[in-house]
Amino acid sequence: MLAIIGGSGLSGLANLEVTHRQVVRTPYGEPSGPLTFGRIGGKPIAFLARHGYGHTIPPHEVNYCANLWALKEQKVSGVVSIASVGAIRREFGPGSLVLPDQIIDYTWGRRSTFFEGPGAKVTHIDFTEPFSASLRARILAAARTGGEAVADGGVYAATQGPRLETAAEINRLERDGACLVGMTAMPEAALARELGLEYATLAVVANHAAGRGDSAHSISLDKIEVVLENAMRKVRRIIENLVAQ
Ligand code: HPA
């Protein structure tokens, strides 16, 4: 069974027939909320709102360890993260969907491994390819089936937030090779890998990043909400086709 972690703009799946909700406690504390289980088109799926069902948890305070541990404990096989991002590259306009294939981590002060603390064995994971190739392929196929355009590949820069970036910071991220900027893919992707969960991020472009396009002088937060609402309709259709595979 796949799990969806919904980000900003996706705190629920309208097309999900809920069968039950499960409060899960973990050695790492509380997940962002109860896990929601249900069916889409008769196929089972789990859902968790990353920022809480009332959108109360900012990116730097999400308990990523608890979220992934809880999903693993409920025997999900893979996690599709839906994450809103700013577009650094001009060709990704607001509302576009991108399936990144790489990450650069600029976050700090977040618990980013299960392998620490008393008694933990020193453990390194391979993270050359941070996203699951097979899950990415499945998402691309689901998008094709529904006729939704999803750009294949790109470097996701994970920033600390919760503030948005300065224009100079975005220039630096671009020089580093990033084309998208968001606040949640790390440590989420690394923790999923540590638990052996397949993981991929479907990024939803909410805005041009700071200093780019119509964000040349400021980012309009009001516009973001409308963009995300429209884009999430496409995301829900892709999820529907993904679970139907
Ligand atoms: N920067 C970082 N995270 C984001 C942005 C952004 O411009 N837009 C949506 N999430």
Side-chain angles (χ1 to χ4, degrees), residues 38-116:
R39 290 178 189 282
I40 295 180
K43 299 285 181 77
I45 190 162
F47 180 84
L48 178 64
R50 180 185 288 114
H51 302 288
Y53 292 94
H55 204 274
T56 50
I57 310 169
H60 64 295
E61 288 183 339
V62 169
N63 190 338
Y64 296 95
C65 286
N67 286 352
L68 289 157
W69 187 270
L71 291 169
K72 174 76 178 179
E73 201 184 73
Q74 295 297 309
K75 308 262 183 303
V76 314
S77 55
V79 175
V80 177
S81 150
I82 310 298
S84 74
V85 295
I88 299 174
R89 281 236 297 265
R90 278 99 178 146
E91 66 260 37
F92 299 140
S96 24
L97 304 180
V98 187
L99 201 60
D101 60 354
Q102 278 296 332
I103 300 178
I104 302 177
D105 186 9
Y106 300 91
T107 66
W108 47 269
R110 303 179 181 192
R111 176 158 183 170
S112 56
T113 178
F114 290 106
F115 301 118
E116 68 182 16

Side-chain angles (χ1 to χ4, degrees), residues 84-87 159 164-165 170 181-183 206-210 219 224:
S84 74
V85 295
T159 55
L164 297 167
E165 299 71 34
I170 293 298
V181 57
M183 301 175 189
N207 55 281
H208 289 288
I219 295 179
I224 287 183

Side-chain angles (χ1 to χ4, degrees), residues 96-98 143 147-151 234 238:
S96 24
L97 304 180
V98 187
E148 302 292 353
V150 173
K234 302 192 272 184
I238 293 173

